[in-house]
Amino acid sequence: GAQPYHLGRVTVVFNGEIYNHRELRERLTGLGFHFEDQCDGSILPALYLTYGDRFAEHLDGMYSVAVMDLRSTPRMVLATDDSGMKPLYYHWEQATGRFHFASELPALLGFAGVRAEEDEAGLDAYLTSKTPFGDRTMFRGVQVMPPAATAVLSHRDGLRVKQRPMAHERGLRPDKDRTLDEAGDQLRALLFEEVSRLLVADAPVAAVTSGGLDSSLVTALAAEALRAGGGLGSLHTFNIAYTGTWPSDERAYAAEVARAAGTRHHQVEIDPATFPDLMTDVVRHLGQPNADPITLSTFSLFRAVRDAGFKVALTGDAADELFSGYSRMTQAVAAHHGSDWIDDYLDHLAAVPRSLRESLYTDEYAFSVNAVGSSLPADIRRILHSSPGTRLQRIGAVEQRYRLPAYHLRRVDHLSMASSVEVRLPFCQPSVVRFASTLTDAQRLVPGQGVKRALYRSARGLIPRSVLERPKQPFTLPVTAMLAPGQGLWTLARDVLSPRTLRADGRIRPERVEALFDEQATRPSDTVSLALWSLMSHQLWRQEFFATAGATAGAPLTLHTPARVLQEAAA
């Protein structure tokens, strides 16, 4: 639309998609407002004038919104969606009253008033949870709005950030009278409704099909919805794989799902030899390190989606967090009473396990980390230890409030928008999130019997049994196999993590990293490969965003930012 949107002395800009804008436009028209177009964002000024700071409670969509209200005392109101699908980064100087915000870190750092300074403790936060959780980033003084948050900024009161209850926190209780079959049927009908809504767009819509349950179910429902609606042509689906023979190749399963759903399938293949060059692009678009190797595949996949002519793509992201699909959840639930299950669970979230992490740090850095305290938000341990609900419900609350937005959704958003592809996430729709909160623990997972039980039940008869009955595997890059002598990633890692570079950084022991390389070369493992990958990604981030990776952590450094992003920020 024609942003910024103006209505009197109220001005709004936003990023994302408002799915219920037609219903809201009709309601607001009935209240006397007039709209010149059908753009989803054009209803936002009227919505704010009607409901004030609580306007976001009426939105169904993925968004970050900024409202400037100059009717009397100047004030700004910002809001993020319930799941944190659309990020909003900001820099607030209370002493000077200067406030900057943007939807991506490179754009925010492009402002002259925002200095790029590395948070020295950020390395520990990154290695502890694969990317910083909560409102922190890897840059000192730069924060990110939490999901379901509304912030109000004024000269008198400064900046006040308040979190609204997320969809799963709104008092819904598990329905113990509903059978697993009934839960599966209701979930299938609900997902069909939401997928059908998300297919409505001004540009062609495709689907990403990894070959696992979540994306396969979204694919099958989307194909069914298009047929039921008499849509022209068939659904286009995309899968990514790697040149050569590698473990965990899912292309055959994705192709089988596509055949069963009757889609036009696109098999994207990337050469691992290109990964070293890709990593620089990925680090730049993410703005800060994310330890999941799938970032390379995600970036390449959405570039292929764009090149095929698609601007919108449906994915199966967030199902594991909502419906309890991770092995760490099963292990935590199965742990006997009195065990240290909380520390074990938190260690599963880490890029580098605690014991290995502590052995990597120099004495000086270990001292500074201990002085700062835990790199995780303090609320996480409180939720896991003493908040209401079962152990599985408490884990789900942590996953949805902290891990999902920070580690998962921001990665998907930045790497899809790098190619101007809008990713739509049926599992993040508020109705689906609310429904998930009404499932009993036994309808989510039972140790020894399976995970995501209600979701699997909803997919019966819709996707091939070979997909439903195969062992669960993560959709990720086979980094353990690829980070080996003779491979491009190995050469890059050896160069980026050279003893000279690590000594200049001063936080990681070069001799311990050399020992990791020796171990990976002789006895490759997921733990060691992910540790090396994570350290390499961190150093590449420093090289990309600061003048030199060897500069002192926390010192003012020169930012390397593409001119295009700087121009967008200035605009």
Side-chain angles (χ1 to χ4, degrees):
Q3 295 200 48
Y5 309 109
H6 299 284
L7 187 57
R9 292 179 61 78
V10 170
T11 300
V12 179
V13 293
F14 100 112
N15 179 37
E17 191 78 27
I18 308 300
Y19 299 128
N20 64 336
H21 68 96
R22 291 178 179 82
E23 300 94 313
L24 292 174
R25 183 178 291 103
E26 183 177 347
R27 183 195 310 175
L28 294 167
T29 299
L31 294 175
F33 292 99
H34 174 72
F35 302 94
E36 297 290 341
D37 59 33
Q38 297 296 311
C39 176
D40 59 338
S42 63
I43 56 97
L44 290 170
L47 193 70
Y48 170 76
L49 287 171
T50 302
Y51 298 107
D53 296 352
R54 302 185 65 176
F55 75 95
E57 297 175 15
H58 300 267
L59 295 174
D60 173 8
M62 51 180 182
Y63 55 84
S64 55
V65 181
V67 181
M68 178 64 81
D69 184 351
L70 301 178
R71 289 176 298 171
S72 54
T73 302
R75 66 198 304 266
M76 177 176 282
V77 181
L78 304 105
T80 54
D81 66 70
D82 278 4
S83 292
M85 289 176 278
K86 286 294 178 181
L88 195 157
Y89 301 95
Y90 66 92
H91 181 264
W92 163 239
E93 288 184 350
Q94 187 171 2
T96 63
R98 292 172 64 87
F99 182 81
H100 297 84
F101 67 94
S103 57
E104 294 190 0
L105 281 164
L108 179 64
L109 296 169
F111 288 112
V114 182
R115 299 175 68 187
E117 298 181 4
E118 184 180 356
D119 180 352
E120 182 178 329
L123 172 60
D124 182 64
Y126 162 62
L127 296 180
T128 298
S129 51
K130 298 183 179 177
T131 200
F133 280 2
D135 63 357
R136 72 184 298 177
T137 71
M138 298 286 286
F139 294 93
R140 181 181 297 173
V142 174
Q143 294 173 277
V144 60
M145 287 266 287
T150 299
V152 179
L153 177 69
S154 68
H155 287 296
R156 186 188 69 183
D157 298 324
L159 179 67
R160 294 174 290 125
V161 181
K162 179 181 179 181
Q163 284 193 261
R164 312 183 302 273
M166 297 176 72
H168 71 281
E169 299 170 336
R170 294 176 184 167
L172 295 173
R173 296 171 179 250
D175 185 349
K176 297 180 180 179
D177 297 325
R178 181 176 51 198
T179 68
L180 182 60
D181 282 337
E182 290 170 340
D185 291 342
Q186 293 171 17
L187 178 55
R188 179 166 169 169
L190 180 59
L191 283 170
F192 179 79
E193 179 182 347
E194 292 294 357
V195 167
S196 300
R197 292 179 67 214
L198 300 195
L199 285 170
V200 179
D202 296 324
V205 181
V208 171
T209 308
S210 70
L213 167 67
D214 311 333
S215 64
S216 297
L217 180 55
V218 169
T219 295
L221 291 172
E224 184 178 297
L226 286 175
R227 287 192 294 270
L232 298 177
S234 58
L235 179 71
H236 287 247
T237 51
F238 290 79
N239 174 265
I240 193 158
Y242 316 104
T243 303
T245 302
W246 301 100
S248 305
D249 191 314
E250 295 187 288
R251 72 180 81 196
Y253 294 108
E256 189 173 357
V257 169
R259 283 194 298 271
T263 73
R264 295 184 61 182
H265 194 53
H266 304 253
Q267 182 59 62
V268 181
E269 192 174 83
I270 52 176
D271 187 346
T274 66
F275 286 172
D277 291 333
L278 279 177
M279 287 196 73
T280 301
D281 290 333
V282 167
V283 166
R284 182 175 68 251
H285 286 293
L286 287 174
Q288 62 182 357
N290 183 301
D292 195 338
I294 198 60
T295 51
L296 299 185
S297 309
T298 303
F299 176 76
S300 301
L301 176 63
F302 288 115
R303 186 168 58 184
V305 170
R306 176 205 63 196
D307 291 346
F310 292 90
K311 294 287 188 180
V312 183
L314 302 184
T315 77
D317 293 291
D320 285 317
E321 287 82 0
L322 285 175
F323 297 99
S324 305
Y326 292 116
S327 61
R328 61 177 175 269
M329 298 174 174
T330 305
Q331 293 173 25
V333 170
H336 62 81
H337 183 71
S339 67
D340 194 10
W341 70 268
I342 291 179
D343 281 342
D344 290 342
Y345 164 75
L346 293 176
D347 226 19
H348 276 94
L349 301 182
V352 180
R354 181 177 178 179
S355 59
L356 176 56
R357 200 164 61 236
E358 291 176 345
S359 74
L360 289 171
Y361 295 161
T362 62
D363 291 342
E364 294 80 5
Y365 189 58
F367 179 82
S368 66
V369 167
N370 290 331
V372 171
S374 175
S375 292
L376 292 171
D379 200 38
I380 287 182
R381 282 192 175 273
R382 182 197 62 79
I383 292 172
L384 292 173
H385 186 265
S386 58
S387 68
T390 66
R391 185 181 295 182
L392 185 59
Q393 288 171 331
R394 300 197 299 271
I395 289 171
V398 168
E399 297 270 348
Q400 291 179 56
R401 181 165 282 284
Y402 289 104
R403 185 182 183 276
L404 178 62
Y407 173 65
H408 199 132
L409 297 181
R410 286 176 211 152
R411 178 182 77 226
V412 172
D413 177 74
H414 295 329
L415 297 181
S416 58
M417 292 305 294
S419 294
S420 300
V421 174
E422 177 184 284
V423 168
R424 297 185 176 184
L425 309 162
F427 287 110
C428 284
Q429 283 298 98
S431 65
V432 178
V433 177
R434 288 193 297 269
F435 180 86
S437 69
T438 69
L439 295 174
T440 65
D441 283 7
Q443 290 168 350
R444 296 169 182 270
L445 70 81
V446 174
Q449 295 185 34
V451 298
K452 293 189 293 193
R453 300 180 77 216
L455 193 62
Y456 272 98
R457 198 59 59 100
S458 73
R460 287 196 307 185
L462 192 60
I463 62 177
R465 288 183 60 184
S466 59
V467 173
L468 279 177
E469 296 174 0
R470 74 187 183 95
K472 174 179 170 58
Q473 67 182 56
F475 175 52
T476 190
L477 191 80
V479 67
T480 302
M482 291 182 172
L483 195 57
Q487 297 293 331
L489 281 180
W490 178 269
T491 303
L492 178 66
R494 294 292 304 183
D495 179 56
V496 171
L497 298 176
S498 69
R500 178 181 177 182
T501 299
L502 295 177
R503 278 193 293 270
D505 182 284
R507 288 174 285 183
I508 300 295
R509 296 178 183 272
E511 68 276 12
R512 287 293 297 125
V513 174
E514 285 298 302
L516 289 179
F517 276 116
D518 291 341
E519 183 176 347
Q520 179 66 11
T522 56
R523 301 183 307 281
S525 70
D526 292 345
T527 298
V528 173
S529 63
L530 184 57
L532 289 172
W533 172 277
S534 302
L535 293 171
M536 173 176 62
S537 297
H538 180 260
Q539 284 299 325
L540 286 171
W541 167 73
R542 297 194 77 220
Q543 291 177 15
E544 179 67 26
F545 281 88
F546 303 106
T548 170
T552 303
L557 300 171
T558 303
L559 176 71
H560 288 265
T561 306
R564 179 183 60 81
V565 177
L566 289 175
Q567 290 165 3
E568 290 173 0

